[in-house]
Amino acid sequence: MEINRRKFLILTTSIAAMTSSGEPSATSSPGAYDVHAHWWGMTIDIDKCIGCGNCVRACAVENSVPEGFYRTWIERYEVPPGEDATPVVASPDGGIHGFPPMQGADAKRFFVPKLCNQCAMSPCVQVCPVGATFVSPDGVVLVDEKYCLGCRYCVQACPYGCRYIHPVKKTVDKCTLCYHRITQGLTTACCEACPTGARQLADLKNPSDPVHEFLRNNKIQVLKPQMATRSKTFYRALDGAVR
Amino acid sequence: MSSRLKDAAHLIPLVLVVLAGVAVFLLFRQVLVPKTFGQYGHYRAAALDDIRVRPVSFAGQATCAMCHDEVATTRSKGKHRGVSCEACHGPLAKHADDPAAMKPKKLAGTGLCQGCHKADKAKPAYFPQVVPAEHSGGAECLSCHQPHSPQMQ
């Protein structure tokens, strides 16, 4: 039994060659889309939202979202006067049918559309035990349905309540920022359906995207900044009452 | 030198067993871990392709305008210029792909208009709102307004 250094090296290099991964993925196959040339996010202007529910309906159709679950939804805030007033938040069926009209000028009222914040440092990604949820190279938090175990760690970890277990697939489901649309030059279904332009898809790597002007010219806030998730859903005119 | 090798000879089977173990591990890993896992990070890069091929329901208004340029021009001159076709007509990618295969439903105006324009104190003040009963006494919105160019001359 002679195993000299030479044989040993030949053996180890052949094992290494065997295990090195094969050809790169065909990620560029459906159309010429460069995953490294984009960094997606969204801007939401609270002052423009009329709570019509178009975005919730559009999202449900585009992404076959099961009834009773929401990838995007609208909350209506009602903040009574007084410094220690508790805001009243309503979101009947996620706002999918709009909201019943309110009367009176005795409170501050506004709509807050919500969706996955596409965090660059997302807690949901950090807790996934199998690499089924991840931030894509272009900045979208996605779920690999073939890999998801349905363990729900990420559902608990999301500070914004944006994830649910799909009742049929039994895997986790969430906003994909309409990844199938934005990678072929379309905007998201919610933005397409928004009548007032309150929601806008933003490509932060595109120097001519209006997002840069929007971020420069307005007072901007993200949800729960104290969570340090590096959210890429930027709100204009966000009230302190919003959690 | 050679005597030292002889002293270590009993270790060789052990080393071989360890090497065999490593080889079996690497072999299993090679078979079980998908090809694109790790290409971009700790996930399967091919998942991006799986997601990208999902079907589209909303064609986008640039597509509508290619065939319905008359409506698009009318709309672009009125106050609904910022309202996309499918915000009112609903998802019509199937129609845009093949107009003969799917004809859009005819829209009833009043309910649609009220979905956006019914007065509500929670809506921002800039947005034009009406109390339908006071505004039109319950008459059909389309009996006075054109949907693609809604303001009254």
Side-chain angles (χ1 to χ4, degrees):
Chain A
M1 195 59 156
E2 281 294 320
I3 189 153
N4 57 25
R5 200 165 167 165
R6 190 181 122 81
K7 280 188 189 154
F8 178 76
L9 283 177
I10 289 171
L11 190 66
T12 45
T13 44
S14 57
I15 289 174
M18 250 161 60
T19 53
S20 67
S21 50
E23 73 277 18
S25 111
T27 314
S28 49
S29 55
Y33 173 78
D34 181 1
V35 276
H36 299 290
H38 306 270
W39 190 243
W40 298 108
M42 192 174 274
T43 61
I44 295 180
D45 190 343
I46 305 280
D47 279 348
K48 284 190 177 167
C49 180
I50 59 170
C52 64
N54 256 9
C55 52
V56 188
R57 288 190 291 274
C59 176
V61 173
E62 179 75 31
N63 298 296
S64 314
V65 179
E67 205 182 321
F69 296 88
Y70 307 96
R71 290 185 179 192
T72 184
W73 67 96
I74 310 170
E75 292 170 0
R76 184 187 61 201
Y77 278 72
E78 186 176 15
V79 192
E83 75 275 24
D84 56 354
T86 318
V88 183
V89 188
S91 186
D93 295 328
I96 199 164
H97 307 297
F99 290 80
M102 303 188 91
Q103 268 93 46
D106 52 327
K108 175 163 65 178
R109 300 191 184 92
F110 51 88
F111 297 103
V112 183
K114 289 194 172 171
L115 75 164
C116 169
N117 289 251
Q118 310 299 350
C119 311
M121 301 243 294
S122 177
C124 61
V125 171
Q126 288 162 35
V127 299
C128 181
V130 294
T133 191
F134 53 88
V135 183
S136 68
D138 39 0
V140 185
V141 179
L142 294 171
V143 175
D144 183 349
E145 282 176 6
K146 290 189 184 143
Y147 252 49
C148 177
L149 305 168
C151 74
R152 291 152 214 246
Y153 281 5
C154 58
V155 179
Q156 301 239 356
C158 175
Y160 309 104
C162 295
R163 291 169 165 259
Y164 57 88
I165 297 287
H166 193 288
V168 179
K169 297 183 203 159
K170 307 288 183 202
T171 55
V172 78
D173 210 28
K174 68 177 287 292
C175 165
T176 61
L177 206 66
C178 282
Y179 198 68
H180 59 300
R181 298 175 60 86
I182 63 176
T183 52
Q184 51 173 303
L186 295 167
T187 187
T188 65
C190 56
C191 292
E192 179 68 35
C194 178
T196 62
R199 318 167 69 118
Q200 302 280 350
L201 177 70
D203 182 357
L204 296 148
K205 265 195 193 168
N206 177 357
S208 56
D209 194 299
V211 64
H212 303 292
E213 228 167 288
F214 183 85
L215 295 181
R216 188 169 60 241
N217 294 340
N218 293 291
K219 314 291 184 289
I220 302 291
Q221 183 57 288
V222 295
L223 294 177
K224 302 191 185 182
Q226 74 277 14
M227 301 293 294
T229 60
R230 284 182 53 206
S231 158
K232 288 192 268 90
T233 298
F234 303 103
Y235 286 87
R236 182 186 168 279
L238 188 71
D239 193 87
V242 179
R243 292 282 173 266
Chain B
M1 183 64 198
S2 70
S3 76
R4 235 197 257 162
L5 254 182
K6 225 177 223 165
D7 286 348
H10 68 286
L11 291 176
I12 289 174
L14 200 67
V15 170
L16 286 179
V17 167
V18 170
L19 282 181
V22 170
V24 167
F25 168 76
L26 291 175
L27 209 73
F28 268 90
R29 193 178 178 282
Q30 169 73 2
V31 172
L32 294 179
V33 175
K35 276 213 161 54
T36 62
F37 201 96
Q39 186 188 338
Y40 296 138
H42 188 67
Y43 59 91
R44 207 169 54 92
L48 297 183
D49 299 338
D50 296 354
I51 295 167
R52 284 187 65 188
V53 297
R54 290 179 188 169
V56 160
S57 302
F58 286 82
Q61 56 175 326
T63 310
C64 312
M66 286 190 321
C67 295
H68 296 284
D69 50 341
E70 228 169 280
V71 180
T73 315
T74 312
R75 189 197 53 160
S76 67
K77 291 180 188 139
K79 289 267 186 172
H80 277 166
R81 72 179 74 88
V83 187
S84 80
C85 312
E86 286 162 302
C88 290
H89 287 279
L92 285 177
K94 282 205 187 95
H95 164 72
D97 282 347
D98 182 1
M102 189 229 186
K103 197 180 166 175
K105 282 195 305 246
K106 197 164 170 62
L107 289 182
T110 306
L112 176 77
C113 312
Q114 291 188 11
C116 286
H117 288 291
K118 199 180 207 167
D120 178 356
K121 283 289 184 212
K123 283 179 184 166
Y126 86 91
F127 189 76
Q129 303 162 44
V130 295
V131 179
E134 294 169 12
H135 179 70
S136 60
E140 291 285 319
C141 310
L142 292 184
S143 62
C144 297
H145 295 279
Q146 293 293 319
H148 302 134
S149 178
Q151 64 274 48
M152 311 298 292
Q153 272 74 34

